[in-house]
Amino acid sequence: MSKLNSITIRTWGITMFIIGFCFITTNEIYGRIYQNNIEKNYLADYEQSIESIEGYLEKEPHFLIENLDKLKAHDTHLFMEVYLDGQLVTDSYTGTDPSVPTTKKKLLANEDVTQAVNMGRDTQIISKTKIGSNQNTLFMFRIKNFTLDGKKGALYSFVDLASLNETEKKMNQWTLINFIFYGILSVLFFYYLQKRLGKPLNTLRDIAFEYAKNDFSQEAPINFKDELSQLALAMNKMRKSLETTGTATRQEKELLENIVSSISTGILYYNQDKTLLMSNPLGENFLRNWNNGEGTEEQSLPDFLADKIDEVINKSEKVYHDTMINDFYFQISLVPLFDEDLENVRGVLVSLQDLTKERRLDKMRVDFINNVSHELRTPLVMIQGYSEAILDDVAETDEEKHEMASIIGDESKRMNRLVNEMLDLSRMEAGYIDLVPVEVDLEAFFMKILSRFNRMAEKNQVHLSLEIEPSVKKYYMDEDKMNQVFVNLINNAIRHASLSERNDAHVKLWVHEDKITDEVQMEVIDNGPGIAEADIPYIFDRFYKADKSRTVSKSSQTGTGIGLSIVKNIVEEHGGYIEVISVPNKVTSFRIHFPYIEELDEAD
């Protein structure tokens, strides 16, 4: 059902109102003018006829009385009567119309006529009265008094204009027919407007709503060459333009979102009310780290950042700030964004540069230099000291000289090992690592490694054990490189287990097959103090040392922080990976994952 505010209904209503008003007004005015003119013309004609007959009455009254019926026989609407001394002498309708006495009686019953007759004066009355079942009928009644042969006479003239009622009735019928035609025309006009105006407008409206939803699948129909078709043509051109612009905008937005999401800078955008309108993952991480430090779950705006935003809005200029949150270092830049008038600040763009890695690298470089300096200084001092002792003949016997030379050799090997480790790491990170995989008997391989640490384990009261599942007794790998891996891991495990201050300190080597992941896993497990959760993500970074687990005693402050980096590179070159699982003061496991090689079965 159409709404009342529809342009079709309003146009139809206004148009039909104007047409109906003009039609009714014209019909009414025309009817009244036509009716009045007819009545006036008829009355004028009859009045003239009556006056001519009254002229005969003055000139030849006897002739008029004798021939009255002949004088007015041609007109049935005019009838006359002549009275002498109150007696009817003659009339003009004798034998012509039987209804005349009834009409005469109705006319004489009119109050004005009755009054005129009683007064006995010359009178002319033009009025309306109801005759029969008809509507009020216009009539003329005229009295002309005269004297004939000493008798008082009166000529009564009656004009019955009932025929005009028939004319008016026909006019009313035509008016009704015109009204019916007007109603039919209004219905047809409504459907015409609905088809040519309402329906196309509704179609264009629905299409416009679809365009507003970025749905450009529909095209506005063009059926005629009118204004609506021109509007549809303009909408189709707008559709192509919007579709092209929308596609370009979506691509630019997608590109911008990908750029914002992938850049190494955190982005936060706040409006004047400090409501977060846009952010990228790094910006959300910043808020998450801050809120976790504050003990809240919601990503609320930090107080210091709110103050900086106020400062930017007030000064309308950039502000820089450095801060540290939960061991994360950030350099914060706040940039004001202005309205189109370039006067008012509409928002503040906060960019967060995470400098944690750079700070940690700087710290690791410093630690590395300190460690290397310490590692090199000690053997150099010993080499220098024992060399001078030999040169100065401090050693008197050959045995003492042999012992000093042996110490110099050991310290030289220690220095050589340190330099080789650094060179190995450099070559591995540059991709220069050559593997010579061979079939290795794992039990013999690990027993040989453990034998090297028996004295160290006994000295630190650490129990060593080995467990190998029967299904993985052999594996293809570079024996020398993997020897370097497990020497490093076992050495670290023994040193950490010795710090646990417990009687059951132990280090276990466990080799087994994980059939779910189709992997061969080699684990070095110890029950030392463990590794802090914050250090685990960086444990394999070069130069990194987990200070909390290595500064318990001075004896544990050894190593340069590159051993685990070498381990990680060698394992990855074998197609595997290494992970750390640590529960403080309970267990720490360095787990190496290698893919299961079916060639072992074929070789067997």
Side-chain angles (χ1 to χ4, degrees):
M1 184 177 182
S2 300
K3 297 181 180 179
L4 295 178
N5 59 355
S6 170
I7 188 172
T8 302
I9 292 182
R10 286 189 293 175
T11 303
W12 174 80
I14 293 174
T15 304
M16 297 312 299
F17 173 77
I18 295 174
I19 295 175
F21 177 79
C22 294
F23 171 75
I24 294 173
T25 303
T26 302
N27 190 76
E28 185 68 19
I29 293 175
Y30 175 78
R32 290 190 177 278
I33 292 175
Y34 178 77
Q35 187 74 13
N36 291 335
N37 285 336
I38 290 178
E39 290 178 356
K40 287 180 180 180
N41 291 334
Y42 269 93
L43 291 175
D45 290 342
Y46 280 117
E47 186 176 2
Q48 186 177 0
S49 298
I50 292 172
E51 287 178 352
S52 64
I53 293 174
E54 288 178 348
Y56 281 109
L57 183 63
E58 293 179 354
K59 295 178 181 179
E60 299 179 3
H62 291 285
F63 176 79
L64 177 64
I65 292 173
E66 293 174 357
N67 298 287
L68 182 62
D69 57 338
K70 298 178 181 179
L71 291 175
K72 205 60 199 75
H74 66 280
D75 194 337
T76 59
H77 299 291
L78 172 62
F79 49 93
M80 297 180 175
E81 293 179 341
V82 177
Y83 286 85
L84 291 177
D85 291 336
Q87 298 294 323
L88 177 64
V89 177
T90 184
D91 55 45
S92 63
Y93 53 83
T94 303
T96 58
D97 189 353
S99 64
V100 171
T102 303
T103 303
K104 172 187 172 184
K105 185 177 180 181
K106 293 288 185 181
L107 293 176
L108 291 176
N110 184 271
E111 184 178 354
D112 296 334
V113 175
T114 302
Q115 186 177 2
V117 171
N118 294 332
M119 291 179 62
R121 295 183 299 180
D122 291 347
T123 304
Q124 179 175 298
I125 299 174
I126 299 176
S127 183
K128 289 185 178 182
T129 188
K130 188 173 183 180
I131 300 176
S133 60
N134 295 329
Q135 59 185 7
N136 289 340
T137 302
L138 180 68
F139 71 92
M140 177 189 289
F141 178 71
R142 189 180 176 99
I143 300 175
K144 179 64 178 178
N145 294 301
F146 65 93
T147 302
L148 179 62
D149 299 332
K151 297 180 180 180
K152 292 182 178 182
L155 175 62
Y156 293 169
S157 301
F158 299 90
V159 178
D160 177 16
L161 297 179
S163 60
L164 295 180
N165 292 340
E166 294 297 326
T167 302
E168 184 178 0
K169 183 176 180 181
K170 291 181 179 180
M171 289 185 64
N172 291 335
Q173 291 176 350
W174 276 108
T175 301
L176 178 61
I177 292 173
N178 288 335
F179 271 111
I180 295 173
F181 176 75
Y182 170 76
I184 295 173
L185 179 64
S186 65
V187 173
L188 295 177
F189 181 62
F190 174 79
Y191 282 105
Y192 173 79
L193 286 178
Q194 185 69 19
K195 180 180 179 181
R196 293 295 299 272
L197 181 64
K199 187 176 180 180
L201 284 177
N202 290 336
T203 302
L204 294 177
R205 177 202 62 196
D206 296 338
I207 293 176
F209 280 129
E210 294 299 322
Y211 290 173
K213 299 175 182 177
N214 291 326
D215 182 2
F216 303 103
S217 59
Q218 298 189 44
E219 185 174 353
I222 301 175
N223 300 322
F224 306 98
K225 295 183 178 180
D226 52 11
E227 288 81 357
L228 287 176
S229 297
Q230 294 177 2
L231 176 60
L233 180 62
M235 286 186 63
N236 289 334
K237 291 183 177 180
M238 180 183 68
R239 164 181 167 267
K240 294 181 180 178
S241 177
L242 288 175
E243 189 172 10
T244 303
T245 304
T247 301
T249 302
R250 284 194 300 271
Q251 292 175 351
E252 292 177 359
K253 182 179 179 182
E254 182 180 1
L255 177 61
L256 179 61
E257 288 178 350
N258 290 332
I259 291 175
V260 171
S261 299
S262 60
I263 60 176
S264 60
T265 301
I267 298 296
L268 299 172
Y269 174 58
Y270 291 92
N271 60 10
Q272 288 183 333
D273 297 330
K274 301 175 186 175
T275 301
L276 182 62
L277 302 180
M278 187 185 73
S279 63
N280 68 348
L282 291 178
E284 294 172 358
N285 287 337
F286 169 81
L287 294 179
R288 192 177 300 110
N289 290 330
W290 172 267
N291 292 321
N292 288 339
E294 294 292 317
T296 59
E297 295 182 358
E298 297 182 357
Q299 295 186 8
S300 59
L301 177 64
D303 294 336
F304 81 91
L305 193 55
D307 295 336
K308 295 298 178 182
I309 292 176
D310 290 334
E311 183 179 350
V312 172
I313 295 175
N314 294 332
K315 294 183 177 181
S316 298
E317 61 184 19
K318 294 181 180 179
V319 173
Y320 299 94
H321 180 72
D322 293 337
T323 187
M324 183 180 73
I325 302 173
N326 298 335
D327 295 331
F328 289 90
Y329 298 89
F330 290 94
Q331 185 181 66
I332 303 175
S333 175
L334 297 93
V335 181
L337 300 180
F338 297 92
D339 291 331
E340 294 181 358
D341 55 6
L342 300 179
E343 293 182 359
N344 299 321
V345 177
R346 60 182 172 87
V348 177
L349 181 65
V350 181
S351 59
L352 308 158
Q353 189 70 35
D354 189 355
L355 303 178
T356 305
K357 186 175 181 180
E358 288 77 2
R359 294 287 183 91
R360 286 176 176 167
L361 285 175
D362 289 339
K363 185 176 182 301
M364 285 190 292
R365 289 190 188 99
V366 173
D367 292 342
F368 172 72
I369 293 173
N370 293 334
N371 292 335
V372 171
S373 299
H374 175 76
E375 293 290 334
L376 291 176
R377 183 170 59 248
T378 301
L380 283 173
V381 169
M382 295 183 69
I383 291 173
Q384 182 181 3
Y386 284 110
S387 298
E388 292 176 352
I390 294 174
L391 292 175
D392 294 340
D393 292 328
V394 173
E396 297 178 353
T397 64
D398 292 338
E399 293 179 358
E400 291 178 348
K401 292 179 181 180
H402 180 75
E403 183 180 357
M404 291 181 181
S406 177
I407 293 174
I408 292 174
D410 291 340
E411 295 301 326
S412 298
K413 292 178 182 178
R414 179 180 174 186
M415 291 177 59
N416 185 59
R417 184 174 64 254
L418 176 62
V419 173
N420 287 336
E421 284 182 352
M422 291 187 291
L423 292 175
D424 287 344
L425 179 61
S426 299
R427 285 196 299 267
M428 289 176 184
E429 291 183 345
Y432 298 107
I433 179 171
D434 295 327
L435 298 181
V436 184
V438 295
E439 187 181 69
V440 178
D441 187 317
L442 295 182
E443 183 175 4
F445 173 74
F446 286 116
M447 289 299 295
K448 182 178 179 181
I449 294 176
L450 291 178
S451 64
R452 297 174 56 183
F453 292 96
N454 285 333
R455 288 187 59 188
M456 181 179 178
E458 291 176 1
K459 180 180 178 182
N460 291 281
Q461 298 180 348
V462 175
H463 175 68
L464 297 179
S465 62
L466 172 65
E467 179 182 350
I468 301 176
E469 289 186 353
S471 59
V472 285
K473 287 188 175 183
K474 295 181 180 181
Y475 195 78
Y476 276 95
M477 59 186 183
D478 189 311
E479 188 171 0
D480 291 337
K481 294 293 189 297
M482 292 305 298
N483 182 76
Q484 189 177 359
V485 167
F486 286 100
V487 166
N488 194 302
L489 294 178
I490 295 171
N491 181 63
N492 289 342
I494 293 174
R495 286 193 296 108
H496 294 158
S498 65
L499 301 176
S500 62
E501 298 181 358
R502 60 176 68 181
N503 297 326
D504 60 343
H506 67 269
V507 173
K508 177 181 179 181
L509 267 169
W510 181 29
V511 181
H512 59 96
E513 178 186 359
D514 190 335
K515 295 183 179 180
I516 297 177
T517 58
D518 199 21
E519 291 178 338
V520 174
Q521 297 181 2
M522 304 178 184
E523 295 188 50
V524 178
I525 307 169
D526 70 80
N527 61 349
I531 303 172
E533 184 179 357
D535 293 322
I536 290 179
Y538 314 102
I539 200 71
F540 295 105
D541 292 347
R542 60 177 179 173
F543 314 138
Y544 186 84
K545 296 176 67 175
D547 295 333
K548 293 181 181 180
S549 63
R550 295 195 179 187
T551 59
V552 177
S553 65
K554 292 183 179 181
S555 62
S556 66
Q557 295 179 353
T558 60
T560 58
I562 63 176
L564 290 179
S565 297
I566 295 175
V567 168
K568 180 174 180 290
N569 279 278
I570 293 175
V571 170
E572 290 178 351
E573 286 297 325
H574 279 79
Y577 67 95
I578 184 171
E579 64 174 336
V580 180
I581 303 171
S582 181
V583 179
N585 297 316
K586 288 187 178 180
V587 64
T588 299
S589 173
F590 282 80
R591 182 179 299 170
I592 299 173
H593 299 257
F594 284 135
Y596 182 79
I597 301 176
E598 296 181 356
E599 293 180 0
L600 289 174
D601 297 335
E602 297 176 0
D604 292 341

